[in-house]
Amino acid sequence: MPEDAVELLREFAGRFNRGERPDVGKYLARAGDDAERLAELIDRFLRETVPPEPSEESVRMLAGWLKGDPPLLELRRRRGLKRDAVVDALVKLLGLDPGRREKVARYYHQLETGRLDASRVDRKVFAALGEALRHVDVRLAV
């Protein structure tokens, strides 16, 4: 059932103002027949709103990308993490058989260095990767 455009805008604006990056397409899909109205409301909101300051981490990742380093590699390096630790965490968080570790390592290396099409990677892998990069030392110690 389509949702009210104004309520969707409030939800979108709240997430945006908290520094999240809400997916406009998903909101428009939820609006149903009100999608055009919601698009106009979101467009007006974004034109009139000062975006939140980027995090220090976002700035660092962009700086790394501008100098030619893939953002994921820059993020891992900035966190002082070894690739093996991230791979081990991915295997654990995704509930994979430890025998598949080498395959995970190969794909992670390709993803981290920008040689794997990220659009073909399942969202749950990115969720696990985010978790691994935030808590890799804690997760592996458990």
Short mmCIF file of all heavy atoms in Angstrom, two decimals, residues 81-112:
data_model
loop_
_atom_site.label_atom_id
_atom_site.label_comp_id
_atom_site.label_asym_id
_atom_site.label_seq_id
_atom_site.Cartn_x
_atom_site.Cartn_y
_atom_site.Cartn_z
N LEU A 81 43.90 -2.19 10.12
CA LEU A 81 43.52 -3.59 10.05
C LEU A 81 44.29 -4.32 8.97
O LEU A 81 44.55 -3.77 7.90
CB LEU A 81 42.02 -3.72 9.74
CG LEU A 81 41.08 -3.07 10.76
CD1 LEU A 81 39.66 -3.08 10.23
CD2 LEU A 81 41.18 -3.80 12.09
N LYS A 82 44.62 -5.56 9.24
CA LYS A 82 45.25 -6.43 8.25
C LYS A 82 44.14 -7.05 7.41
O LYS A 82 43.04 -7.33 7.91
CB LYS A 82 46.06 -7.54 8.92
CG LYS A 82 47.19 -7.04 9.79
CD LYS A 82 48.30 -6.54 8.94
CE LYS A 82 49.49 -6.13 9.80
NZ LYS A 82 50.45 -5.38 9.06
N ARG A 83 44.43 -7.27 6.14
CA ARG A 83 43.44 -7.88 5.24
C ARG A 83 42.98 -9.24 5.79
O ARG A 83 41.80 -9.57 5.76
CB ARG A 83 44.00 -8.04 3.84
CG ARG A 83 42.96 -8.61 2.88
CD ARG A 83 43.47 -8.76 1.46
NE ARG A 83 43.78 -7.47 0.91
CZ ARG A 83 44.87 -7.21 0.19
NH1 ARG A 83 45.74 -8.15 -0.07
NH2 ARG A 83 45.09 -6.00 -0.29
N ASP A 84 43.91 -10.03 6.32
CA ASP A 84 43.55 -11.35 6.85
C ASP A 84 42.52 -11.25 7.97
O ASP A 84 41.62 -12.10 8.07
CB ASP A 84 44.79 -12.08 7.36
CG ASP A 84 45.63 -12.67 6.24
OD1 ASP A 84 45.11 -12.83 5.12
OD2 ASP A 84 46.81 -12.96 6.50
N ALA A 85 42.64 -10.23 8.81
CA ALA A 85 41.68 -10.07 9.90
C ALA A 85 40.29 -9.77 9.36
O ALA A 85 39.29 -10.30 9.86
CB ALA A 85 42.13 -8.97 10.85
N VAL A 86 40.22 -8.95 8.32
CA VAL A 86 38.92 -8.63 7.72
C VAL A 86 38.33 -9.87 7.06
O VAL A 86 37.14 -10.15 7.20
CB VAL A 86 39.06 -7.46 6.71
CG1 VAL A 86 37.74 -7.20 5.99
CG2 VAL A 86 39.53 -6.20 7.43
N VAL A 87 39.16 -10.63 6.36
CA VAL A 87 38.68 -11.86 5.70
C VAL A 87 38.17 -12.84 6.74
O VAL A 87 37.09 -13.42 6.58
CB VAL A 87 39.79 -12.48 4.82
CG1 VAL A 87 39.39 -13.87 4.34
CG2 VAL A 87 40.10 -11.58 3.64
N ASP A 88 38.91 -13.03 7.82
CA ASP A 88 38.47 -13.94 8.88
C ASP A 88 37.12 -13.50 9.45
O ASP A 88 36.23 -14.31 9.70
CB ASP A 88 39.51 -14.02 9.99
CG ASP A 88 40.77 -14.78 9.57
OD1 ASP A 88 40.72 -15.53 8.57
OD2 ASP A 88 41.81 -14.59 10.24
N ALA A 89 36.98 -12.20 9.66
CA ALA A 89 35.72 -11.67 10.18
C ALA A 89 34.58 -11.90 9.20
O ALA A 89 33.47 -12.26 9.60
CB ALA A 89 35.86 -10.19 10.50
N LEU A 90 34.83 -11.70 7.91
CA LEU A 90 33.79 -11.93 6.90
C LEU A 90 33.33 -13.39 6.91
O LEU A 90 32.13 -13.66 6.86
CB LEU A 90 34.29 -11.55 5.51
CG LEU A 90 34.37 -10.06 5.21
CD1 LEU A 90 35.04 -9.82 3.87
CD2 LEU A 90 32.98 -9.44 5.24
N VAL A 91 34.28 -14.30 6.96
CA VAL A 91 33.93 -15.73 6.98
C VAL A 91 33.02 -16.02 8.18
O VAL A 91 31.99 -16.67 8.06
CB VAL A 91 35.20 -16.61 7.00
CG1 VAL A 91 34.85 -18.07 7.28
CG2 VAL A 91 35.95 -16.49 5.68
N LYS A 92 33.41 -15.47 9.33
CA LYS A 92 32.64 -15.71 10.55
C LYS A 92 31.26 -15.03 10.48
O LYS A 92 30.24 -15.67 10.77
CB LYS A 92 33.41 -15.19 11.76
CG LYS A 92 32.72 -15.46 13.07
CD LYS A 92 33.58 -15.02 14.23
CE LYS A 92 32.87 -15.32 15.54
NZ LYS A 92 33.68 -14.98 16.68
N LEU A 93 31.22 -13.76 10.12
CA LEU A 93 29.96 -13.01 10.11
C LEU A 93 28.97 -13.52 9.08
O LEU A 93 27.76 -13.44 9.28
CB LEU A 93 30.24 -11.52 9.87
CG LEU A 93 30.95 -10.80 11.02
CD1 LEU A 93 31.46 -9.44 10.57
CD2 LEU A 93 30.02 -10.66 12.21
N LEU A 94 29.48 -14.05 7.98
CA LEU A 94 28.60 -14.58 6.93
C LEU A 94 28.25 -16.05 7.18
O LEU A 94 27.49 -16.63 6.41
CB LEU A 94 29.25 -14.41 5.55
CG LEU A 94 29.38 -12.96 5.09
CD1 LEU A 94 30.27 -12.86 3.86
CD2 LEU A 94 28.00 -12.36 4.81
N GLY A 95 28.82 -16.62 8.23
CA GLY A 95 28.52 -18.01 8.56
C GLY A 95 29.02 -19.00 7.52
O GLY A 95 28.37 -20.02 7.28
N LEU A 96 30.16 -18.69 6.91
CA LEU A 96 30.69 -19.55 5.85
C LEU A 96 31.57 -20.65 6.43
O LEU A 96 32.17 -20.49 7.50
CB LEU A 96 31.50 -18.70 4.86
CG LEU A 96 30.74 -17.59 4.17
CD1 LEU A 96 31.69 -16.75 3.32
CD2 LEU A 96 29.62 -18.15 3.30
N ASP A 97 31.68 -21.71 5.68
CA ASP A 97 32.58 -22.81 6.03
C ASP A 97 34.01 -22.27 5.98
O ASP A 97 34.39 -21.62 5.01
CB ASP A 97 32.41 -23.94 5.02
CG ASP A 97 33.27 -25.14 5.31
OD1 ASP A 97 34.49 -24.97 5.53
OD2 ASP A 97 32.72 -26.25 5.31
N PRO A 98 34.81 -22.50 7.03
CA PRO A 98 36.19 -22.02 7.04
C PRO A 98 37.01 -22.49 5.83
O PRO A 98 37.98 -21.83 5.44
CB PRO A 98 36.76 -22.57 8.34
CG PRO A 98 35.57 -22.78 9.22
CD PRO A 98 34.45 -23.16 8.29
N GLY A 99 36.60 -23.58 5.21
CA GLY A 99 37.29 -24.06 4.02
C GLY A 99 37.13 -23.13 2.82
O GLY A 99 37.86 -23.26 1.83
N ARG A 100 36.22 -22.19 2.90
CA ARG A 100 36.00 -21.23 1.80
C ARG A 100 36.78 -19.93 2.01
O ARG A 100 36.65 -18.99 1.24
CB ARG A 100 34.51 -20.94 1.67
CG ARG A 100 33.72 -22.22 1.32
CD ARG A 100 32.30 -21.97 1.04
NE ARG A 100 32.17 -21.21 -0.19
CZ ARG A 100 31.04 -20.62 -0.56
NH1 ARG A 100 29.98 -20.69 0.19
NH2 ARG A 100 30.99 -19.95 -1.68
N ARG A 101 37.61 -19.90 3.06
CA ARG A 101 38.34 -18.69 3.40
C ARG A 101 39.18 -18.15 2.24
O ARG A 101 39.21 -16.95 1.98
CB ARG A 101 39.24 -18.94 4.61
CG ARG A 101 39.89 -17.65 5.09
CD ARG A 101 41.00 -17.90 6.09
NE ARG A 101 41.56 -16.65 6.53
CZ ARG A 101 42.33 -15.84 5.78
NH1 ARG A 101 42.63 -16.17 4.53
NH2 ARG A 101 42.80 -14.70 6.26
N GLU A 102 39.89 -19.03 1.54
CA GLU A 102 40.75 -18.57 0.44
C GLU A 102 39.93 -17.92 -0.67
O GLU A 102 40.36 -16.92 -1.26
CB GLU A 102 41.61 -19.71 -0.10
CG GLU A 102 42.69 -20.16 0.87
CD GLU A 102 43.55 -19.02 1.39
OE1 GLU A 102 44.02 -18.18 0.57
OE2 GLU A 102 43.76 -18.94 2.61
N LYS A 103 38.77 -18.48 -0.95
CA LYS A 103 37.90 -17.88 -1.97
C LYS A 103 37.41 -16.50 -1.52
O LYS A 103 37.41 -15.54 -2.29
CB LYS A 103 36.72 -18.80 -2.25
CG LYS A 103 35.83 -18.32 -3.37
CD LYS A 103 34.73 -19.33 -3.67
CE LYS A 103 33.91 -18.87 -4.86
NZ LYS A 103 32.86 -19.85 -5.20
N VAL A 104 37.03 -16.41 -0.25
CA VAL A 104 36.60 -15.12 0.31
C VAL A 104 37.75 -14.12 0.23
O VAL A 104 37.55 -12.97 -0.15
CB VAL A 104 36.11 -15.28 1.77
CG1 VAL A 104 35.84 -13.92 2.41
CG2 VAL A 104 34.86 -16.15 1.82
N ALA A 105 38.95 -14.57 0.57
CA ALA A 105 40.13 -13.69 0.52
C ALA A 105 40.37 -13.18 -0.90
O ALA A 105 40.66 -12.00 -1.10
CB ALA A 105 41.36 -14.43 1.03
N ARG A 106 40.23 -14.05 -1.87
CA ARG A 106 40.45 -13.66 -3.27
C ARG A 106 39.41 -12.61 -3.70
O ARG A 106 39.75 -11.57 -4.27
CB ARG A 106 40.38 -14.91 -4.15
CG ARG A 106 40.89 -14.74 -5.54
CD ARG A 106 41.01 -16.07 -6.30
NE ARG A 106 39.81 -16.90 -6.26
CZ ARG A 106 39.70 -18.04 -5.58
NH1 ARG A 106 40.70 -18.49 -4.84
NH2 ARG A 106 38.58 -18.73 -5.61
N TYR A 107 38.14 -12.88 -3.39
CA TYR A 107 37.09 -11.93 -3.78
C TYR A 107 37.22 -10.61 -3.00
O TYR A 107 37.00 -9.54 -3.56
CB TYR A 107 35.70 -12.53 -3.57
CG TYR A 107 35.28 -13.45 -4.68
CD1 TYR A 107 35.02 -14.79 -4.44
CD2 TYR A 107 35.13 -12.99 -5.98
CE1 TYR A 107 34.63 -15.64 -5.45
CE2 TYR A 107 34.74 -13.83 -7.01
CZ TYR A 107 34.50 -15.15 -6.74
OH TYR A 107 34.11 -15.98 -7.75
N TYR A 108 37.55 -10.71 -1.72
CA TYR A 108 37.71 -9.48 -0.95
C TYR A 108 38.84 -8.62 -1.51
O TYR A 108 38.70 -7.41 -1.64
CB TYR A 108 37.95 -9.75 0.54
CG TYR A 108 38.21 -8.47 1.29
CD1 TYR A 108 37.18 -7.56 1.50
CD2 TYR A 108 39.49 -8.12 1.70
CE1 TYR A 108 37.42 -6.35 2.12
CE2 TYR A 108 39.73 -6.92 2.33
CZ TYR A 108 38.69 -6.04 2.54
OH TYR A 108 38.93 -4.84 3.14
N HIS A 109 39.95 -9.25 -1.86
CA HIS A 109 41.07 -8.50 -2.45
C HIS A 109 40.62 -7.79 -3.73
O HIS A 109 40.93 -6.62 -3.94
CB HIS A 109 42.24 -9.44 -2.74
CG HIS A 109 43.37 -8.77 -3.45
ND1 HIS A 109 44.19 -7.84 -2.83
CD2 HIS A 109 43.80 -8.86 -4.73
CE1 HIS A 109 45.08 -7.40 -3.71
NE2 HIS A 109 44.87 -8.00 -4.86
N GLN A 110 39.86 -8.50 -4.57
CA GLN A 110 39.37 -7.89 -5.80
C GLN A 110 38.43 -6.73 -5.50
O GLN A 110 38.49 -5.68 -6.15
CB GLN A 110 38.66 -8.93 -6.67
CG GLN A 110 39.58 -9.98 -7.24
CD GLN A 110 38.83 -11.09 -7.94
OE1 GLN A 110 37.60 -11.11 -7.99
NE2 GLN A 110 39.57 -12.04 -8.49
N LEU A 111 37.56 -6.91 -4.52
CA LEU A 111 36.63 -5.84 -4.14
C LEU A 111 37.38 -4.65 -3.57
O LEU A 111 37.15 -3.50 -3.96
CB LEU A 111 35.62 -6.37 -3.10
CG LEU A 111 34.58 -5.37 -2.61
CD1 LEU A 111 33.67 -4.92 -3.75
CD2 LEU A 111 33.77 -5.99 -1.48
N GLU A 112 38.32 -4.91 -2.68
CA GLU A 112 39.07 -3.85 -2.01
C GLU A 112 39.91 -3.04 -2.99
O GLU A 112 40.07 -1.83 -2.82
CB GLU A 112 39.98 -4.48 -0.94
CG GLU A 112 40.78 -3.47 -0.17
CD GLU A 112 41.67 -4.11 0.86
OE1 GLU A 112 42.70 -4.70 0.48
OE2 GLU A 112 41.33 -4.02 2.05
#
